[in-house]
Amino acid sequence: MGGTNIKWTVVELGGGEPRLVSSGHVPTDRKNGETGVLAQLVEVARTASRDQGSIRSVGVGVPGLYDPEQGTTRVIINVPGTWQGVPVAAEITNAVQVPARLVNDARAFTLAEHRLGAGRGAASMLGITLGTGVGGGLVLGGRLYLGHDGTAGEFGHQTILPDGPPCNCGNNGCLETLARADAIVAACGQPTVEKAVEAARAGDRRARQGLTDAGRYLGIGVCNVVVMLTVDRVVIGGGVAAAGNLLLEPIRAELRRRVHVTEAERIEVVRAELGTWAGAIGAAIYGAEAAVH
């Protein structure tokens, strides 16, 4: 579920890797608030179920906070509507008569990349999404770790600068305030992230320094996670990840500089592989795995 599109996938889980069966998207209804968007989610689930003959579970990736026990949304910022307490899971379950569960979209991204993308084979993994905000997720012992309320892995809301810029979450100095798209654009003196990357690659000093600084802040955040959890791999996706090594190299440099309790060189920092479909794929996989467990 996104502010621009609702993307959907049907995934088949068998003995081996999950297999993508079909996918599609519809523009998000921005005129009718949460009622219109919820109706779209229900219709997408009905259509997918009808077209495939049958489905056994549904997972919904939401860009914000939710109540995992009730299957209701709590805070959704970038999708039109008032989302406090909206019974998304129950409405979909009633429509298609299979279990439906919610998961944060960055956690869904992380699960998809671990099962099918750049995180395959890693026992533990930190997933990071870079775009309008900075999201994240954790795979520990081969399973997505969510904590008691689905919020574990909120990579962007760790404090990097104690007296730094105010964050939408209510804190000051969160990593998100320093490495989200608009912060990078401002630091680089460019109108868009794409232009910032283009300018940096062309040798523009301000643009290059802006991306280096963002990579350094991200690297400090990665170091904090590594020291606590010793993840094997870090997978970075989202629109800003198109900067490639302009961001990844400063992150790797911070790992070498700051991590001394484990072997920093063994921790891989790589770009994601699944592109814009990762969230929808991960949501489907999460719904299936949650139904089993």
Side-chain angles (χ1 to χ4, degrees), residues 113-150:
E113 287 291 339
H114 183 262
R115 299 291 191 267
L116 286 175
R120 281 176 297 185
S124 58
M125 173 191 141
L126 167 64
I128 302 171
T129 57
L130 304 175
T132 305
V134 175
L138 289 165
V139 171
L140 302 176
R143 292 188 62 182
L144 186 66
Y145 179 71
L146 297 173
H148 66 273
D149 62 355

